[in-house]
Amino acid sequence: MRAVWLTAFGGPEVLVAKETPEPSAGRGEVVVSVFFAGLTFVETQFRASGIGPFGLQPPAVLGNGVGGVVAEVGEGVDPALLGTRVVTATGGSGGYAERVAVDAGAVVPVPEGVPLDTAVALLADGRTALLNLRAVGPVAGQRVLVLAAAGGVGTLLVQLARAAGATVVGAAGGARKGELVRGLGAAEVVDYAEPGWTTDPVDVVFDGVGGELARTAFGLLRPGGRMLSYGLAGGRWSDVTAEEAAARGVTLVTGARPGPGQVRELVVAALAEAAAGRLAPVIGQRFPLAEAAAAHAAIESRATVGKTLLEVR
């Protein structure tokens, strides 16, 4: 089979596609024939520096989320899973490949009518967006500012917050991204690439950027407001302190770390929302498996919108 290997830490060129032995299903495992693999900004950071949550050393195969069909079941696994369309996390490695072996308990069947690419786009970003919305509490009747609103999680937060009754302000860089965010239901769009960008006061900030943009957004919060930082697309985490928040009467919400059971529940919930037509991920870019390096370069360029996928089959 073909797989994309991280041959060293460095630029996108360290990702190299080559023939690799196929995995087999051990006890309690299944082998998934991969159709789509999801990419994340965190993976590009890890590839570049070795810093991140994956605990891998080159040579290794990156990729933490895939969708496909169960092609093999190991001992102790229900044979009825064979042929089932599923999405699954991989434990942090192995996803940039044509086949991957995972724990059978990790796979989530994809509901009928939900395309596999949609399901993969929701696997990580859908559960993150749902978890974030739950963490800040009810938003009906409130103004919600979404930073990085044209990104994978941001596009979903815009939809979810609007459906929950919020007035959504989407912040994104550039006119193209702004048009996308407005089309998803944002009542207002601001271009945070413009110096001095601002908007009227808000009740909630979802911060997927960090850095100075997060600090500017923090300054827009009304007393009693909440801010949740979940990403660092700008290169560093928000440096807003709890003392600063307390002085202004706002709350810095800490995103929860879900256990395995809750992770599965969140993925199932995101897929159910998609099946019902209430949640639609934006898949902005697709690359063949062998062009994983180009996909990483595109994500790092900040020119991408929504989710980026590798097409494996």
Side-chain angles (χ1 to χ4, degrees), residues 23 64 100 190 247 274 304:
N64 193 39
V100 62
V190 293
T304 59

Side-chain angles (χ1 to χ4, degrees), residues 131-157:
L131 191 65
N132 287 350
L133 191 65
R134 293 178 185 180
V136 302
V139 297
Q142 300 185 346
R143 277 174 60 85
V144 173
L145 174 61
V146 180
L147 298 185
V153 177
T155 52
L156 299 176
L157 281 171

Side-chain angles (χ1 to χ4, degrees), residues 18 30-31 53 64 91 109 117 119 126 167 171-172 186 193 208 210 231 249 253 255 283 285 311:
K18 60 182 179 180
V30 300
V31 169
N64 193 39
D117 54 355
T167 297
V253 178
I283 302 173
Q285 305 74 219
E311 293 189 327

Side-chain angles (χ1 to χ4, degrees), residues 32-37 65-69 94-95 97-100 310 312-313:
V32 176
S33 179
V34 178
F35 285 65
F36 300 96
V66 302
V69 173
E98 292 180 329
R99 291 164 73 94
V100 62
L310 294 179
V312 182
R313 299 182 191 279

Side-chain angles (χ1 to χ4, degrees), residues 144-147 149 158 168-172 178 181 186-191:
V144 173
L145 174 61
V146 180
L147 298 185
V158 169
V168 178
V169 181
V181 172
E188 180 185 345
V189 173
V190 293
D191 184 351

Side-chain angles (χ1 to χ4, degrees), residues 9-183:
F9 294 123
E13 68 279 359
V14 303
L15 296 175
V16 178
K18 60 182 179 180
E19 288 297 319
T20 304
E22 291 193 3
S24 58
R27 180 174 180 80
E29 292 184 331
V30 300
V31 169
V32 176
S33 179
V34 178
F35 285 65
F36 300 96
L39 295 95
T40 64
F41 182 70
V42 172
E43 289 170 1
T44 70
Q45 293 177 303
F46 180 77
R47 184 219 72 234
S49 65
I51 298 173
F54 303 119
L56 301 175
Q57 289 294 321
V61 177
L62 287 181
N64 193 39
V66 302
V69 173
V70 176
E72 181 186 335
V73 299
E75 184 181 353
V77 178
D78 186 353
L81 275 176
L82 284 169
T84 302
R85 298 188 315 141
V86 298
V87 290
T88 182
T90 66
S93 65
Y96 298 0
E98 292 180 329
R99 291 164 73 94
V100 62
V102 297
D103 187 292
V107 302
V108 178
V110 176
E112 187 175 350
V114 177
L116 266 174
D117 54 355
T118 294
V120 175
L122 289 172
L123 176 61
D125 292 350
R127 69 175 182 246
T128 299
L130 284 171
L131 191 65
N132 287 350
L133 191 65
R134 293 178 185 180
V136 302
V139 297
Q142 300 185 346
R143 277 174 60 85
V144 173
L145 174 61
V146 180
L147 298 185
V153 177
T155 52
L156 299 176
L157 281 171
V158 169
Q159 296 174 64
L160 291 170
R162 179 175 179 271
T167 297
V168 178
V169 181
R176 169 175 169 255
K177 292 183 177 181
E179 290 173 7
L180 168 67
V181 172
R182 194 179 298 280

